[in-house]
Amino acid sequence: MVSAASSVAAGSTEPCDRCGAAAKLALVLASGRQLTFCGHHANGYTETILATAESVFLEPGFEWRGAQVESDYIGAHRADAYAW
Ligand SMILES: [Zn+2]
């Protein structure tokens, strides 16, 4: 888990996969594929991210809408939020 967080942190300057803006959130899918989203798209895809991500990494200071979701909902979807 620590190594996974470190590898994502190293790529935290990647652009959003949708619009190319600076990424505020990175996630790892069950397949191992990583995706990055800017704040706008991270919030826009909150439900999808919670439903599909194995792990979610947030840039410090970024208030992701998904982080406000009930913890039992996140647990049911196997997604955990970690700070970069
Ligand atoms: Zn974007």
Side-chain angles (χ1 to χ4, degrees):
M1 198 60 76
V2 173
S3 60
S6 298
S7 65
V8 173
S12 61
T13 56
E14 291 177 7
C16 172
D17 283 343
R18 292 294 175 181
C19 70
K24 296 291 187 182
L25 177 150
L27 63 95
V28 180
L29 299 174
S31 64
R33 185 178 176 212
Q34 294 184 9
L35 296 174
T36 53
F37 292 120
C38 66
H40 174 78
H41 284 112
N43 284 326
Y45 294 130
T46 295
E47 285 76 13
T48 301
I49 291 169
L50 288 173
T52 60
E54 285 282 315
S55 301
V56 177
F57 302 87
L58 304 175
E59 184 178 271
F62 171 53
E63 295 187 11
W64 181 43
R65 195 160 64 86
Q68 309 302 319
V69 176
E70 295 288 339
S71 59
D72 59 342
Y73 178 91
I74 294 176
H77 290 79
R78 300 188 299 160
D80 293 306
Y82 302 97
W84 266 342

